[in-house]
Amino acid sequence: MKRSSLSRKDKKNLVRILIALALFLAIFITDKVIVLGGVLEGPAAWVFPFCLYLVVYLIIGYDVLWRAVRNILHGQVFDENFLMCVATLGAFALAIYRGVTGQEIEGFDEACAVLLFYQIGEWFQSYATGKSRKSIAGLMDIRPDYANLVKEDGSVEKVDPSEVKVGDTILINPGEKVPLDGVVAKGTSTLDTKALTGESLPRDVAPDGDVISGCVNLTSQLTVRVEKEFYDSTVSKILELVENAADQKSKAENFITKFAKYYTPIVCGVALLLAVIPGLITMDWSTWVYRALSFLVVSCPCALVISIPLSFFAGIGAASRYGILIKGSNYLEKFNQANTFVFDKTGTLTKGNFAVARISPEENADDILHLAAIAEHDSNHPIAKSIVARYGKQTESGYTLTNIAGRGIVAEKEGDVLLCGNGKLMAEHGIAYTEEAGVGTVVYVARNGAFVGSLLIADEIKPETRKVIGELNAMSCKTIMLTGDNEAIAKNVAQEIGLTGYKASLLPQNKVEEVEKLLAHKKQKDVLCFVGDGINDAPVLMRSDIGIAMGGVGSDAAIEASDIVLMKDDLRGIALAKRIARKTMAIVTQNIVFSIAVKVAILILSAVGIANMWLAVFGDVGVAVIAILNAMRVNGKYTTDPIRDRPGTAR
Amino acid sequence: MKKIFRLEDLDCANCAAKMERAIQKIGGVNEANVSFMGQRLSIDADESRFEEIMDEVVRVCRKVEPDCKIIR
């Protein structure tokens, strides 16, 4: 990657354009002031301005002329270089013809200007595509250049990441990229994962913690044991995915290349007819040939052909900045139409962990938590852990804890008896308790024979889930949850989140069947997305129209099986991706309609003689530039937060 | 066998489309994809004749867009 914003070729061409432009303006203004055609007398008066303009023409157009000749030799006739040459040389010829026949001398400036504008447009296209490529290449910055391999004798050597083997030890200094996936052997530090996940908050790592390639080590040196070879590590997988993304072409792109294939020959054919037929009838050759030449200028399909892939590329690039990897333009296009979202519940809509959801009665919350924590603090059960975590303080020791299987825990200390467990435990001890009706696991707490209260432990719903589902619903998408939970829990969760549907009591292998059923019942133009955390759902991800894997970092299977990967375990990425897809497709449509409409309008106007060649140049280059600028809007800023209250706006 | 080649100096989107069509017509090529934005050619062709096919691909591309080089 070059640091300079212009490539060498762009720079060279820019200088050439500026020189030609200055020269052209100088000649043009002099011509208007003193009329160059009047310098020489007689029938050869045209020769003087012709020679001056010819110099400009050759400076700006020598490469176009050369390519046109070369391509004709190769049998490539309808090529933009050729069209430009025919149009401009034709304009020159017309001007000479007028000069020779003693009419007013004009048209040389036009021929030069057409080519000059054409080159400016070409330059701009090259600049814009280069810039857009670089924005994606920014993501390629995650590619590590070297690894500090620790050798057996303790010395450190810089080697290519691909030479490091599994089990080797590497050093990562502050400021360096993590070259390979591994586990920290020594050292604590913070890692910047922004390039990978779009997450701006640095992540802390300590011994035995995983480090993922592509992150940047921020604070202190880490010694890492390599777990995966380079080709297998996260960074390689992601780079491969991004590099391949441009290969998957969308329907819009295919349409436009097909359109271009027929458009140019048709316009050229019409141009020929336009020159010959009215020319023969009216014998006013110079007027009709001029109009036909204008046709040729507009006949380049470049604006269209370039702006569509550029829009998609910008869309994919914009998404990648937020840690959303889209595997191809076709998926971006399809995702815009996505209207059925099937979610795996655990780990996707919910955090997949247990947490205290409710304590009742609430006024005794501290007391209940305190007592429960005393009883549970020694246990490794996830439910016990969630209680201890919620309490968050040290508990007094000295209690004798007795675990009663299938019931709960009894804690005793100097006559103080705590009961902590399910309803059966309470009933067996003859304690009257208030039943907790909520969905989840309930833990009742009693002290010295008296009921104190209860804790409801449930899988925690992610904080962003409700908003994201809300936004999807507002886009009139169906949102369906698949879960192994029983009917009651599923219904409760679905209501709480605001899902439009759910399927309960599913075994993992039933997920594919359910998705198959949904696919079988959907309409032709419906697009079904499956969203999962990538664990055990590769078959479903592959089977659905669009598979979306969440928290893709570190899960190769998910990255491989899915079409869209959310690098960050954050559902908001789905709503964001949907907004990016919508904006991209809106711009693609705008560009197609705008470019074709302007071109057709200019064709008609030049056929009837209203538009001149200057306008025709705008129809070619101007449209291309506008379409490109429009395409670059895709790569703007997006808010990561779901937009709920303003359905139908994509900003 | 599927292989990916980098393309240098592929400057026009329409040429990319033309190259793609031309490559797809070559015998033994199952699938070919020229990405203008990615500056890449991905090609799936008969493995036994791959080198021979690639020679033809290079020849065809030189005809369509002489400035563009296929990095083999």
Side-chain angles (χ1 to χ4, degrees), chain A residues 513-524:
Chain A
E513 283 168 36
E514 269 317 311
V515 169
E516 294 274 4
K517 260 190 243 165
L518 288 165
L519 283 169
H521 285 107
K522 75 179 182 106
K523 289 193 214 81
Q524 182 76 37

Side-chain angles (χ1 to χ4, degrees), chain A residues 406-473:
Chain A
R407 302 284 184 275
I409 292 170
V410 179
E412 284 179 272
K413 181 172 140 184
E414 298 156 12
D416 191 17
V417 181
L418 303 178
L419 297 178
C420 187
N422 57 15
K424 281 184 198 156
L425 184 71
M426 297 292 127
E428 280 166 14
H429 286 79
I431 293 164
Y433 62 97
T434 325
E435 201 151 335
E436 163 67 75
V439 179
T441 310
V442 185
V443 175
Y444 297 99
V445 181
R447 184 178 205 173
N448 299 331
F451 179 64
V452 185
S454 62
L455 297 152
L456 177 67
I457 319 281
D459 190 359
E460 235 177 326
I461 293 167
K462 290 184 187 172
E464 74 271 13
T465 300
R466 250 164 254 148
K467 276 189 173 175
V468 172
I469 298 296
E471 185 173 355
L472 292 176
N473 287 342

Side-chain angles (χ1 to χ4, degrees), chain A residues 9 67 133 244 247 249, chain B residues 11 20 33 36-37 39:
Chain A
K9 204 162 106 204
R67 270 190 236 128
R133 278 197 195 108
N244 281 324
D247 294 349
K249 286 190 184 123
Chain B
D11 283 341
E20 184 176 293
N33 203 322
F36 171 67
M37 290 311 298
Q39 303 264 297

Side-chain angles (χ1 to χ4, degrees), chain B residues 18-72:
Chain B
K18 279 193 219 162
M19 277 168 63
E20 184 176 293
R21 281 197 289 270
I23 295 170
Q24 280 163 351
K25 274 190 206 134
I26 298 173
V29 174
N30 305 324
E31 212 188 313
N33 203 322
V34 177
S35 156
F36 171 67
M37 290 311 298
Q39 303 264 297
R40 281 144 48 95
L41 158 70
S42 66
I43 181 165
D44 183 4
D46 200 342
E47 184 154 7
S48 53
R49 300 197 295 128
F50 200 82
E51 281 311 305
E52 193 188 317
I53 290 169
M54 275 314 291
D55 289 341
E56 178 70 8
V57 168
V58 170
R59 206 183 59 77
V60 165
C61 288
R62 201 180 300 135
K63 226 170 133 182
V64 177
E65 171 65 345
D67 289 333
C68 174
K69 281 195 285 289
I70 297 176
I71 314 293
R72 294 176 77 177

